[in-house]
Amino acid sequence: MCLNTVIVLHQDVNETHEVYSYFPHIFKFSIKYTLSDHGLSQEVVIQNCGEDPMPCMLAFHTALNAPFSPNSTIEDCQITIGER
């Protein structure tokens, strides 16, 4: 059986949001994390809701604390990027 745990974080930025004074664009940003039997996945959506073109660059600098639990070892951990 495959059970998924999902959390979604969402932020709308418009003229009234404090970020707008530094980055004057209207946009929506959401990030979805899904934890399943297959591992952890991350989905990011950035939507330009304004009239003008909006530059967009996204980078993640993820830090992992491994091993994850007191009873595990580094040998219990596996990190993959892309196809398994």
Side-chain angles (χ1 to χ4, degrees), residues 25-82:
H25 297 278
I26 301 169
F27 64 97
K28 295 179 180 183
F29 178 92
S30 69
I31 186 165
K32 176 181 174 181
Y33 293 100
T34 304
L35 181 61
S36 72
D37 295 339
H38 302 289
L40 178 67
S41 68
Q42 177 183 49
E43 177 183 340
V44 176
V45 176
I46 301 172
Q47 179 183 0
N48 180 4
C49 301
E51 299 291 322
D52 298 324
M54 181 183 81
C56 182
M57 181 175 72
L58 185 65
F60 290 95
H61 304 277
T62 305
L64 299 176
N65 184 15
F68 299 108
S69 71
N71 297 327
S72 66
T73 66
I74 195 69
E75 289 78 21
D76 297 325
C77 302
Q78 177 183 3
I79 299 173
T80 59
I81 298 173

